[in-house]
Structures are given as C-alpha cells and as structure tokens.
Amino acid sequence: MTCIKTFDFSDLSTIEINAEMEGFQPRFDNTLALTAYQQQTLILTREGQVIILNCRLQECLNRFRRENGICRHELNAYYSMAHCQTQAIISGHYRLVPTHGASNHQVVYYMAHHLDTYSYSRKLNRLLIILKGRVNLYQLRVDASFSSFGRILTAADQVANLQLANIEDAMWRMGIYREHNGLRPASGTYLSHQQGLALHQRILANYAVAVTNEAFLAAFGELPGADFRRRLSSVIGYPGMPAKKDEKVIKQCSTD
C-alpha cells in the first residue's frame, strides 16, 4: 500500500536526518529534492532517506551540472526563448527545478519529472509539493508562492520541449530518426524540418552570444555595444538574442 510521508522544507529543524556523508552523488534518478542546510546540502532521496552532503548547495549544483554534461551557457540560450530569469537544470525530460530564484535562502530544488501534483494550503500557508518516490509518495511543505512556482515550472517545461525538439530535428538531419508503426509523425514535413533548422540555428546563435557577452562583461565590466553585437551576428550568420534585453540574466549568471 502506497503511503504519503511529509517533510517540512520550510522548517528544516523538523526533518529527521538519516545520514551525513561525503560521497553521495545526487542524480536525476535517485534524488527528489535538494536545499541548503547551514553550510551543507540536504538531500531527499527517492527512497525517502534524508542525507546531509558536506558541501554548499551551489557547489553541489555546479558539480551536478558537470557530472550530467549540462552547460550553463547552453541553458542560457534556451532560456532566452522561454522569457524566465529563474533557471532550472534541464536535460530533456529530466528537470531539476527551483521553487524560488537562486538567491532566495529558502529555495528548494525538486525533480519535476518525479512531480505528482502541487497545491497551496491556506490553512498551513504553505505550498504542498507531492513527489513520486520508488515506492511511496512524499509531500514537501515549502514557503513559496503558488503563482511563481507554476511560472518557473512552466518555463522549465518549455525549455525541455525546446531541447527535445532540437534533438528530434538533429536526428532527422542525420538520418537516424525511426518512424514507429510505419506512421509518419506530424513533425516529418518539409515545413517542420525548416522550422526545426531555424530553431537549431537560433539556439546556437544564442549560445554564442551568451558566452561572448559574459566574457566581454568579465573583461571590460560592461556588455558590448550595438556595433559589436551587429558584427557578432554577422560572424555567427544568424541573429542571436538582443544583449540589452537579457542584460540582467547575463549579469546574474556571471555571478553564480
């Protein structure tokens, strides 16, 4: 019989710690949620165990990106199309999504691909997130805005869809896409291929622009001017994201 166990992530002192260790490796398939715990990281596993990892949350997240081959600049390129400054860590269907902005000390990162449902309790004045473990369900109480939570989750799903669409188009272009049951999918038209190619080109352009902007900002303390952006777009051969529009995002990412 499936049961539901509750963890109050708005008051970490109420959570029983099962182990404190150095070597645990959080992955998309073994972890449900992470949050800062003093100078360490608290992790809820899919088995419902609570582990304290002896490193700061940001260090844990940076290592998580590296170990899963996720490039921050590439995510910036996708997020420039989702119009959301609060970024998740996304690899297609796998999505590690924050409940707040990264600077909020109460931010909880949860695995959205294990999300069952979420709601807001007026009685508790808390957001309730239910995640699917290997056997049981786990309810997280989080001090977060219902509307902001939904907005961040929606943007993460949009980025995931863009990644998957880009991969599907690449498979078509490389001749390795297989049609299932002899049916030609809706994406197998000339027009959809052209749209897929345009998406791929835009992502590459946004990636190049984001990397260049961050390097320019680090070297000169400001973003490049309009003339440099025009020259960069000409070299790329495809228009990237407007630098001024994403100035806050770029500056925030450069300080992470």
Side-chain angles (χ1 to χ4, degrees):
M1 178 179 178
T2 301
C3 66
I4 300 179
K5 185 174 181 180
T6 297
F7 295 90
D8 190 350
F9 272 64
S10 66
D11 184 1
L12 299 182
S13 66
T14 64
I15 298 179
E16 180 182 352
I17 308 301
N18 298 116
E20 184 172 334
M21 59 180 61
E22 298 279 353
F24 182 79
Q25 182 185 40
R27 300 191 307 268
F28 284 118
D29 63 345
N30 69 359
T31 298
L32 290 179
L34 307 89
T35 193
Y37 183 81
Q38 300 174 7
Q39 304 301 314
Q40 301 165 301
T41 302
L42 183 147
I43 298 171
L44 175 63
T45 72
R46 288 197 68 199
E47 287 74 21
Q49 298 294 300
V50 177
I51 295 172
I52 298 299
L53 198 60
N54 289 321
C55 66
R56 293 176 180 268
L57 176 62
Q58 194 57 53
E59 179 185 345
C60 180
L61 294 173
N62 288 339
R63 189 170 67 189
F64 185 90
R65 290 187 187 93
R66 291 194 303 270
E67 291 171 346
N68 287 279
I70 297 171
C71 175
R72 177 167 53 89
H73 296 299
E74 185 178 359
L75 272 181
N76 290 347
Y78 281 103
Y79 262 98
S80 69
M81 303 168 68
H83 307 297
C84 179
Q85 293 188 18
T86 304
Q87 295 190 9
I89 300 174
I90 303 173
S91 182
H93 292 294
Y94 294 139
R95 306 177 308 288
L96 179 58
V97 182
T99 54
H100 305 73
S103 61
N104 190 306
H105 72 281
Q106 288 192 307
V107 62
V108 176
Y109 284 80
Y110 67 96
M111 297 295 182
H113 49 286
H114 296 315
L115 178 65
D116 186 68
T117 187
Y118 69 96
S119 60
Y120 196 85
S121 170
R122 295 187 181 276
K123 179 180 179 181
L124 298 171
N125 194 28
R126 291 291 182 267
L127 185 72
L128 306 180
I129 306 170
I130 297 182
L131 301 170
K132 294 175 283 189
R134 295 197 188 279
V135 177
N136 298 313
L137 297 175
Y138 301 96
Q139 182 187 86
L140 276 57
R141 295 179 182 173
V142 179
D143 187 4
S145 161
F146 182 83
S147 59
S148 295
F149 181 92
R151 175 179 53 79
I152 295 168
L153 177 59
T154 297
D157 285 350
Q158 289 174 349
V159 168
N161 286 332
L162 287 169
Q163 285 184 343
L164 294 168
N166 196 28
I167 291 171
E168 179 181 327
D169 177 70
M171 292 172 68
W172 274 109
R173 286 185 283 107
M174 296 177 185
I176 58 175
Y177 194 93
R178 292 186 178 181
E179 297 172 358
H180 298 284
N181 301 322
L183 299 176
R184 190 172 188 179
S187 57
T189 64
Y190 175 81
L191 180 59
S192 67
H193 290 328
Q194 296 306 304
Q195 291 172 337
L197 181 59
L199 170 64
H200 174 69
Q201 290 173 327
R202 184 177 176 188
I203 290 167
L204 288 179
N206 288 353
Y207 177 88
V209 170
V211 172
T212 302
N213 283 341
E214 185 167 326
F216 204 97
L217 185 63
F220 305 109
E222 61 181 6
L223 291 170
D227 183 63
F228 183 90
R229 296 200 304 271
R230 283 193 297 270
R231 291 175 182 272
L232 179 61
S233 292
S234 176
V235 171
I236 294 172
Y238 196 83
M241 65 181 183
K244 287 295 181 182
K245 176 182 175 183
D246 296 274
E247 182 170 348
K248 290 183 180 180
V249 177
I250 294 163
K251 287 186 176 179
Q252 176 63 42
C253 290
S254 67
T255 59
D256 288 346

